[in-house]
Amino acid sequence: MMTSRRLLQLAAIVVVLAYPIVTGGSPVWQRLGALVLLAAISASAWNIVGGYAGQVSVGHAVFFGIGAYSAVVAFVHLALPPILGAPIGMLLSVGVAAVIGVPTLRLSGHYFSMATIAVGELVRVLSSTSNWLGGAQGLGGPAMPRSVFDLSFLSALPYYYIFLAVLAGLLGLTWWIERGRMGFYLRAIKDSERAARSLGVSAGRYKLYAYMLSAAFTSLAGSLYLCMFGFIDPESGFGILLSVKMVVMAALGGAGQLFGPLIGALILVPLEELSNSLLGGQGAGITFVVYGAIIVIIARFLPSGLLSLLERRPRAPTRKTTATPSAASGHAD
Amino acid sequence: MTTMLLLQVVVSGLLLGAVYALFSSGLSLIWGMMNVVNFAHGEFVMLGMYTAVVVWTAMGGGPWASVPIAAILIATLGVLAYFLLVRHIARGPMLAQILGTFGLALFLRYGALWVFGANFRTLPDDLVGHSFVLGGIRFDGSRVLAGVVGFAVTVLLHLLLTRTAVGSRMLAVSEDATAAQLMGIRPQRMQALAWALAGAATGIAGALIATFFYTSPTVGETLAIVAFVTVALGGFGSVLGALVAGLMIGVVESLSAFLIGPVYKDVIVYAVFVLVLWFRPQGLMGKT
């Protein structure tokens, strides 16, 4: 049992590392792989606060945008390599997360989600009125790489391995948190905040820690996005669809599960790319129609995500899927 | 002169606010009754707007045709959404609730983009586009129609809930569904009725807004946030709260567009929202 599991893990690592080679060095597949990993980074970052702590933020694009804009501002206004903006963006995001989080994390359930939507939209509108940030037109990174520090490559291959390393680090950190005291507290808060509090868990503080940590890594994802695409505008940096995608990927795979966001990204990113390329420019509409339908079906029939299929297999015939402990989190009031 | 202009701005804010109140009351009703937030609410309004566009341009009907047709169509959509989706996700994890109605929102928004295209549509303004001057204030025919009908229907909805037997049955379900069931009320029927009423309210509001606003597939996004603000301010479950809050939001929006600049009117509305959630999350008239 244990050895077969080990073998499976080893096989997964080999496949992930060798993927660009296995696919014959095809640029399309390399790009797709990099995009999946980037989406998995931001969805996994969201998962820390949205999945483990059960605080469904629909405004995480704020941090993604801060990361992307920090990277491009470092280049445009300071002539620095974009990636040097990443740590500044992470610090800024942690600060902004504290400012947003202290009042909003006190709100329960839907109120928190709606407050994060409002903050996200507020930031998006404000960013489009700022000349310093390029207004509605946005800002572009270096047109030509000046050195390797610009992280500006023509091929998607370097991005693939950079994103893979970041994702591995993030998942390692998440795994460590999951198994430690903080993970235990976060799950307790998610199941019943009142019960967690009565047991002496300082719920507000741990929710805030999770939110700030999540913000830092979402910001890093934004900086990496800027390095790969070299351009950011208010819609692609702070747009609400960006926040929604993070939620959807985590929830599709399984929110609050280590590999849930990665599974979600593995399904949704290729789906989006495929329908975009098959249907051309006007296909974006149909892509999101399909996207919406998938989300509705998942919410209706698999409310705990795809990974819940694996866990609950022995008891699948009983119709008690909605009675899992996490179901109680819906009625926190 | 300036006071006249300011008065004009306040009046047009009140007229707009009455329509905000109408579609927000639907969101408030469902929220109070089922503790479910319909993130597709703005898309319901958007479809009401397109219904008006289609009735008006393809069938040659005016507001007297488009408003009832939109009411019936969106009420049907609400009932369908309730039976096919919402009924099942209402007891699930909160994430599934948010996802379910958000997925529905994406489906409807981009379905509309697919069907109607991305272009902004406007209605021919020969029917209600007349403006008239009364006491030194200029009124737009379409805005007056929208404001007056919006106000009247919201008041009717409030009376329906507070003065009729069906209304008290619905309120009983929203207080305690189990107890209501023991009293012989069928909670699912009342919840379906709430979705029908909310759908009708959003349909009417959408058809009214379409007379003076650009119709586009993405218009629901902004309107949904207006509805969230209104419900948060008015207190969930309260139609009267939605009415008062809707009028306030309309005035705040008009005044900030006039005094600060049109770009910042959304900023002000979102900021009001965050402040309300911060200081009084149960809303002005909400129960705790």
Side-chain angles (χ1 to χ4, degrees):
Chain A
M1 183 70 189
M2 201 56 202
T3 45
S4 72
R5 199 190 164 108
R6 274 280 152 79
L7 271 174
L8 203 67
Q9 284 172 345
L10 198 67
I13 292 170
V14 169
V15 166
V16 168
L17 282 175
Y19 163 87
I21 303 156
V22 175
T23 51
S26 149
V28 176
W29 286 96
Q30 287 176 357
R31 184 174 177 277
L32 184 63
L35 290 179
V36 167
L37 292 174
L38 185 64
I41 294 170
S42 51
S44 300
W46 179 90
N47 197 29
I48 297 174
V49 69
Y52 288 98
Q55 308 299 308
V56 183
S57 161
V58 197
H60 255 49
V62 167
F63 309 119
F64 189 91
I66 288 177
Y69 272 105
S70 294
V72 81
V73 160
F75 170 75
V76 171
H77 294 299
L78 306 169
L80 292 170
I83 200 66
L84 278 187
I88 298 165
M90 289 169 84
L91 282 176
L92 204 58
S93 290
V94 169
V96 171
V99 171
I100 300 176
V102 168
T104 55
L105 283 167
R106 289 189 321 206
L107 304 169
S108 65
H110 298 304
Y111 282 111
F112 175 72
S113 300
M114 288 181 12
T116 55
I117 290 178
V119 172
E121 288 295 285
L122 195 63
V123 172
R124 183 181 62 82
V125 177
L126 285 177
S127 72
S128 67
T129 61
S130 159
N131 287 329
W132 196 64
L133 297 179
Q137 275 77 45
L139 288 174
M144 293 293 278
R146 299 163 303 178
S147 75
V148 72
F149 298 108
D150 277 350
L151 290 191
S152 175
F153 311 108
L154 288 175
S155 155
L157 190 65
Y159 295 114
Y160 179 86
Y161 285 110
I162 293 169
F163 296 169
L164 187 60
V166 172
L167 180 65
L170 175 56
L171 290 181
L173 180 67
T174 311
W175 179 78
W176 181 71
I177 291 172
E178 188 182 51
R179 297 179 51 115
R181 187 168 60 171
M182 181 162 166
F184 180 75
Y185 284 170
L186 292 183
R187 277 192 298 273
I189 291 166
K190 179 184 181 175
D191 284 344
S192 169
E193 191 170 332
R194 196 178 291 175
R197 272 183 203 283
S198 69
L199 290 173
V201 175
S202 164
R205 197 172 355 139
Y206 278 92
K207 282 196 287 187
L208 191 62
Y209 289 163
Y211 192 55
M212 293 196 293
L213 191 64
S214 174
F217 277 93
T218 311
S219 177
L220 181 59
S223 300
L224 294 173
Y225 171 92
L226 192 274
C227 288
M228 183 168 170
F229 288 88
F231 175 78
I232 198 75
D233 63 10
E235 201 52 53
S236 57
F238 293 116
I240 191 167
L241 275 179
L242 208 62
S243 306
V244 174
K245 280 184 193 173
M246 294 180 213
V247 185
V248 170
M249 282 174 197
L252 175 63
Q257 308 246 30
L258 186 58
F259 291 109
L262 179 59
I263 304 275
L266 267 172
I267 293 166
L268 285 175
V269 174
L271 182 84
E272 195 179 324
E273 290 294 305
L274 188 73
S275 58
N276 275 344
S277 67
L278 283 182
L279 302 164
Q282 41 160 215
I286 304 171
T287 305
F288 284 112
V289 173
V290 176
Y291 217 92
I294 291 175
I295 299 168
V296 170
I297 290 166
I298 290 291
R300 162 74 178 81
F301 294 102
L302 265 179
S304 301
L306 285 169
L307 283 177
S308 65
L309 280 178
L310 297 176
E311 276 176 10
R312 308 240 156 236
R313 188 176 284 159
R315 279 191 280 156
T318 59
R319 291 194 63 227
K320 291 210 168 178
T321 42
T322 52
T324 52
S326 64
S329 63
H331 305 283
D333 49 329
Chain B
M1 183 62 201
T2 329
T3 36
M4 239 23 227
L5 210 56
L6 218 54
L7 197 62
Q8 166 107 47
V9 170
V10 170
V11 168
S12 65
L14 285 172
L15 291 173
L16 185 64
V19 191
Y20 285 174
L22 178 56
F23 66 74
S24 305
S25 61
L27 183 74
S28 188
L29 184 62
I30 287 166
W31 193 344
M33 199 154 171
M34 303 180 67
N35 198 19
V36 166
V37 175
N38 180 18
F39 283 95
H41 199 75
E43 276 61 37
F44 281 28
V45 184
M46 178 269 293
L47 288 176
M49 294 173 76
Y50 272 110
T51 307
V53 168
V54 169
V55 168
W56 216 294
T57 55
M59 295 159 64
W64 315 118
S66 68
V67 169
I69 291 175
I72 293 166
L73 275 182
I74 312 300
T76 313
L77 178 69
V79 173
L80 278 177
Y82 173 74
F83 279 112
L84 295 179
L85 176 68
V86 177
R87 190 165 57 116
H88 304 281
I89 59 176
R91 284 154 183 260
M94 203 193 73
L95 185 56
Q97 284 182 27
I98 293 177
L99 274 187
T101 56
F102 229 121
L104 183 63
L106 287 182
F107 184 78
L108 296 176
R109 187 187 306 163
Y110 290 95
L113 181 67
W114 189 10
V115 174
F116 298 108
N119 290 340
F120 285 18
R121 308 279 191 95
T122 47
L123 290 175
D125 59 355
D126 51 317
L127 281 165
V128 287
H130 305 292
S131 60
F132 53 91
V133 178
L134 197 74
I137 301 175
R138 204 177 66 88
F139 289 97
D140 256 350
S142 53
R143 283 174 183 265
V144 171
L145 178 80
V148 170
V149 176
F151 187 82
V153 177
T154 313
V155 171
L156 277 179
L157 191 62
H158 172 68
L159 293 178
L160 177 77
L161 284 174
T162 51
R163 298 274 193 278
T164 66
V166 170
S168 33
R169 258 178 260 154
M170 290 176 74
L171 290 181
V173 172
S174 70
E175 285 293 327
D176 188 340
T178 321
Q181 194 161 21
L182 293 174
M183 301 298 289
I185 300 168
R186 290 155 107 175
Q188 291 217 343
R189 270 199 189 181
M190 291 301 123
Q191 289 172 349
L193 182 63
W195 278 82
L197 287 174
T202 43
I204 294 170
L208 292 171
I209 295 175
T211 60
F212 59 88
F213 210 77
Y214 295 110
T215 301
S216 78
T218 50
V219 70
E221 226 175 293
T222 325
L223 294 176
I225 292 180
V226 169
F228 291 162
V229 185
T230 307
V231 176
L233 191 61
F236 60 93
S238 165
V239 170
L240 204 60
L243 183 60
V244 174
L247 294 174
M248 281 168 68
I249 298 291
V251 173
V252 166
E253 202 183 289
S254 293
L255 277 179
S256 51
F258 176 70
L259 296 174
I260 310 172
V263 191
Y264 292 99
K265 85 174 191 228
D266 291 339
V267 174
I268 301 291
V269 172
Y270 302 152
V272 167
F273 185 31
V274 174
L275 289 177
V276 168
L277 286 176
W278 194 341
F279 290 109
R280 200 174 157 78
Q282 74 273 30
L284 294 178
M285 301 189 182
K287 350 169 227 194
T288 39

